[in-house]
Amino acid sequence: MKTIKKIINNENLFVYLLALILSTLFIGYAPSSIGTGIFIFLSVVYLIINKTNIVFSKPLILLIVLYVFLALTYFWTIDIPLTKRGISRLITMALIPLAFHFIPLFKKNQALKVVKYFSISNVLYALFFLLYATYSFILTKDKDVFFYHDLVKILDLNAIYASVFFSTSLMYFLFKKQKSIFDKFSILILSLSVILLSSKLIILIDTLFVLTVFMISKKNINIEKSKLIIVSVIGIVILFFALSKLYERFETESKFTKIEEVLTKEKFNKVYMWTGTSFRLFQLRLLKEQIEEDNIFWKGFGLFASRVDLEKKHKSYNTYKGFYTYNYHNQYAQIMAESGIIGFLILIIFLFLNFKNAYLSLNYTFIYISFILIVTFFTESFLWVQRGLIFTTIFTSLFNRTKFTTD
């Protein structure tokens, strides 16, 4: 019993475990799922052994409440099997925040250790992707292997999720006060990877965030020349590597995104030229029709059950068959369609309180994560994908349960 207590009370146990979970998100569902299960189990053991005095965090309670409300849609869902699957798939939305209440508050240096190990793993992943892309280019002579989804397809990843993960680590290294040679190397590798992944929105947000922080730092802290040099180098790298590819994507989007047509056309054909923007706009059009025609404003279709009606809608508009199984690619629309206005408002309040706490923490990594989630939720159903769900719940739980100030 003494040995168990000694292990469970090791102040770095949960630090290493959380870092391990986050660092395995790129390599399939099993490792992160097993790690999450162990984390929850050990958190309960810690609670039993130490009889922790639980002090609840408002943002984390809202995550738990959101999951409970989503689970309650079982009682009015239009598809019980799908909602059962959703209740099972999203259970970590409640269990991870709950588990964080069973263990002590993290110290600032402990929270940053989690981010540090997660970020080091991302540098290794980025190097792996770049090396594999180089190998593929030698074999195929196709430069596209360096860009967008192709860069990370070896692990069957989505470029948006990879961009969010890499950008989080980039912010960690970029805003470290003391930088080693490895830190500076990591900034270069992660910057290059984010650029090559070619997510217009993420690159724009990253650039604005970095410029804003450095302008504030320069005004209030008398920023060091080394940091200014790093920012300049990153800017040059962006200009050199990204402008041509980004221009191609912007040109394609602007040329083929016909907003009025997407919002009013009665029938599409199988070869209609869709873009990421036009598809997402069309999904919002369908949501508007669903609210008006199916009376889902208050309760929604039920967790995971929106796909039933979405498929019917796409068939009626004669869209590309591959779209039949797509979600809204918008977390706000997804929540609204499946749980109605109540679930939507719970999500909005959670994001607001999370960002408020991040701002008060004065920790740039926390601020960046809280902001990038708000933005990414407009383009992805982030919580409906396991790696997005675990990333969100662990990082928001970690930072909201971290003591950033000292007594």
Side-chain angles (χ1 to χ4, degrees), residues 132-151:
Y132 185 79
T134 302
Y135 171 73
S136 298
F137 176 73
I138 293 172
L139 293 180
T140 65
K141 309 302 180 186
D142 181 7
K143 66 178 182 179
D144 286 341
V145 298
F146 287 101
F147 296 98
Y148 206 39
H149 297 305
D150 284 349
L151 181 63

Side-chain angles (χ1 to χ4, degrees), residues 187-289:
I187 291 171
L188 181 62
I189 293 299
L190 291 171
S191 298
L192 179 60
S193 298
V194 171
I195 293 164
L196 294 177
L197 286 166
S198 305
S199 169
K200 304 181 298 297
L201 181 62
I202 301 298
I203 290 175
L204 176 62
I205 293 302
D206 286 359
T207 304
L208 292 176
F209 185 81
V210 170
L211 291 176
T212 300
V213 171
F214 274 102
M215 283 192 294
I216 294 172
S217 298
K218 185 177 180 181
K219 181 178 179 181
N220 297 328
I221 309 176
N222 189 24
I223 187 170
E224 302 98 320
K225 289 183 179 179
S226 61
K227 288 188 177 182
L228 288 175
I229 292 172
I230 291 172
V231 175
S232 300
V233 170
I234 291 174
I236 293 170
V237 171
I238 290 174
L239 288 173
F240 184 77
F241 284 100
L243 281 184
S244 60
K245 196 67 180 180
L246 284 176
Y247 178 77
E248 288 178 18
R249 294 201 63 212
F250 273 116
E251 190 176 39
T252 301
E253 290 278 337
S254 60
K255 181 179 180 180
F256 294 105
T257 300
K258 301 175 182 179
I259 296 177
E260 184 177 353
E261 186 173 273
V262 169
L263 296 179
T264 59
K265 190 176 177 67
E266 291 300 320
K267 287 287 182 180
F268 298 85
N269 57 61
K270 304 301 182 182
V271 294
Y272 184 81
M273 189 62 185
W274 292 95
T275 64
T277 301
S278 61
F279 171 74
R280 288 173 172 83
L281 285 173
F282 184 67
Q283 294 292 76
L284 291 178
R285 173 187 175 181
L286 297 185
L287 175 62
K288 179 176 180 292
E289 293 178 4

Side-chain angles (χ1 to χ4, degrees), residues 263 284-298 300-301 309 313 317 328 336-337:
L263 296 179
L284 291 178
R285 173 187 175 181
L286 297 185
L287 175 62
K288 179 176 180 292
E289 293 178 4
Q290 290 168 327
I291 292 173
E292 294 172 348
E293 299 169 6
D294 299 298
N295 195 29
I296 62 167
F297 180 81
W298 293 107
F301 288 116
D309 194 73
K313 290 283 187 185
Y317 281 104
Y328 290 92
M336 184 70 195

Side-chain angles (χ1 to χ4, degrees), residues 339-386:
S339 64
I341 190 65
I342 296 176
F344 176 81
L345 290 177
I346 295 172
L347 177 65
I348 295 299
I349 297 170
F350 158 71
L351 291 171
F352 170 76
L353 291 180
N354 187 56
F355 183 79
K356 177 185 175 184
N357 285 353
Y359 179 78
L360 293 175
S361 75
L362 300 178
N363 181 273
Y364 292 132
T365 305
F366 186 12
I367 294 172
Y368 177 80
I369 291 174
S370 65
F371 184 66
I372 202 64
L373 287 177
I374 293 171
V375 174
T376 305
F377 282 9
F378 280 106
T379 64
E380 299 294 327
S381 294
F382 203 73
L383 299 176
W384 265 227
V385 177
Q386 182 178 352

Side-chain angles (χ1 to χ4, degrees), residues 25 39 42 47 202 242 276 279 321 331:
L25 289 177
F39 168 72
L42 292 180
L47 174 68
I202 301 298
F279 171 74
K321 188 175 181 180
Q331 189 63 63

